[in-house]
Amino acid sequence: MLGLIVGLVAAAAVSIIVADLLGNDEIFDQDMGQQAGNGRISPYERIAGLSCDTEAAFTDMDRSRADTAVREMKELLGENPVERLGSMNARDRLEAAKELNRRLRTAFSLDIGLEMGQSDVGCEGTYCPGRRVLWVDYRYLLSDKAEYIAGYLDTIIHEFRHAMQHRFIEDGSYNGADDDYRKRMAVSMHPSVYVNFDENPELYYNQLCEKDARAYAAMVLQQLKGAESNG
């Protein structure tokens, strides 16, 4: 998909801008994705652990944080964030991305860092729980195509939701999720169970942790789209 992106700022120039704004030590330079299964459980147990038949479920606290995220996005970027970002130069977009990350950290009650770089394997973004860092491919943000800018925003919320998943697995009081959902989520995210896209795209999309993150991002962006259409 990345090969289809056109009209991007020259890669060398963008790299200089990103390094200048974010610092060289914050540029993503290694694979931070989830690890594939390690063979410690049977394939049948692994598939069962993905909880593909469990529907995404959001608590009142999840929805309240989504409302706050939408308000913060509108306050920073106006009624149409995609259009607003598209009107900015590269430097201003990167500054807006950093500020958006700060606001979303508050909205979601999470202390999550932001790193940017380029993916050679089509990865738009990922969350590294060990480092508590959200990584995104900045070329989506800097594209002149509205659909790619929208994809950047979707990725940001999607990866924040993964961070939320880790948080409510550790602490049920974070969002009030019930114990069964927390246990199912924990199993679906375990390194021995989690399925990467390259390993099996169908299972990847259907495993609980990915369904939940995808649905949460869709909910936030749908609220934002509704706000835009009413603006």
Side-chain angles (χ1 to χ4, degrees):
M1 182 176 183
L2 292 178
L4 299 178
I5 300 180
V6 296
L8 298 178
V9 180
V14 172
S15 297
I16 293 173
I17 291 173
V18 174
D20 179 55
L21 291 177
L22 301 181
N24 285 321
D25 61 336
E26 295 179 338
I27 300 301
F28 176 74
D29 59 3
Q30 59 183 333
D31 182 11
M32 289 166 48
Q34 293 272 7
Q35 299 298 311
N38 58 20
R40 294 177 182 172
I41 60 176
S42 74
Y44 300 104
E45 290 173 320
R46 187 181 183 199
I47 291 174
L50 297 175
S51 294
C52 294
D53 59 344
T54 302
E55 295 302 320
F58 307 131
T59 67
D60 289 342
M61 294 176 71
D62 287 331
R63 296 181 185 281
S64 176
R65 288 188 172 107
D67 292 342
T68 301
V70 170
R71 288 197 300 271
E72 289 295 339
M73 293 172 77
K74 289 179 59 183
E75 182 176 311
L76 176 64
L77 298 169
E79 296 292 335
N80 193 325
V82 171
E83 183 178 285
R84 179 73 182 97
L85 285 168
S87 71
M88 296 179 181
N89 61 35
R91 183 179 295 272
D92 288 344
R93 290 192 206 188
L94 290 165
E95 288 293 347
K98 291 197 296 181
E99 176 60 22
L100 178 60
N101 185 72
R102 284 192 287 267
R103 290 173 180 244
L104 292 179
R105 286 190 319 195
T106 299
F108 296 132
S109 302
L110 295 168
D111 184 15
I112 302 299
L114 175 67
E115 294 184 352
M116 293 185 173
Q118 296 184 31
S119 170
D120 295 327
V121 294
C123 177
E124 296 180 46
T126 189
Y127 173 63
C128 178
R131 298 177 56 223
R132 301 178 65 83
V133 165
L134 188 159
W135 177 88
V136 287
D137 189 319
Y138 59 77
R139 289 174 291 182
Y140 288 88
L141 172 67
L142 299 181
S143 174
D144 63 355
K145 301 294 185 181
E147 58 266 36
Y148 292 126
I149 299 175
Y152 172 84
L153 296 176
D154 180 87
T155 297
I156 290 292
I157 303 300
H158 181 110
E159 299 306 331
F160 259 105
R161 180 59 181 178
H162 281 316
M164 294 170 75
Q165 292 167 353
H166 281 277
R167 179 67 181 275
F168 71 68
I169 286 171
E170 298 169 356
D171 179 8
S173 68
Y174 169 72
N175 68 342
D178 66 58
D179 288 343
D180 180 66
Y181 195 75
R182 291 172 60 214
K183 291 176 181 177
R184 288 173 180 266
M185 185 65 71
V187 173
S188 76
M189 299 178 75
H190 192 279
S192 295
V193 175
Y194 185 86
V195 174
N196 285 307
F197 177 83
D198 290 341
E199 186 180 1
N200 188 314
E202 183 178 359
L203 286 178
Y204 168 83
Y205 281 115
N206 285 313
Q207 57 196 327
L208 178 58
C209 58
E210 292 299 336
K211 286 198 302 182
D212 178 277
R214 195 164 59 249
Y216 195 78
M219 177 178 68
V220 171
L221 295 183
Q222 183 58 47
Q223 289 180 220
L224 187 63
K225 182 178 179 180
E228 293 171 4
S229 64
N230 293 327

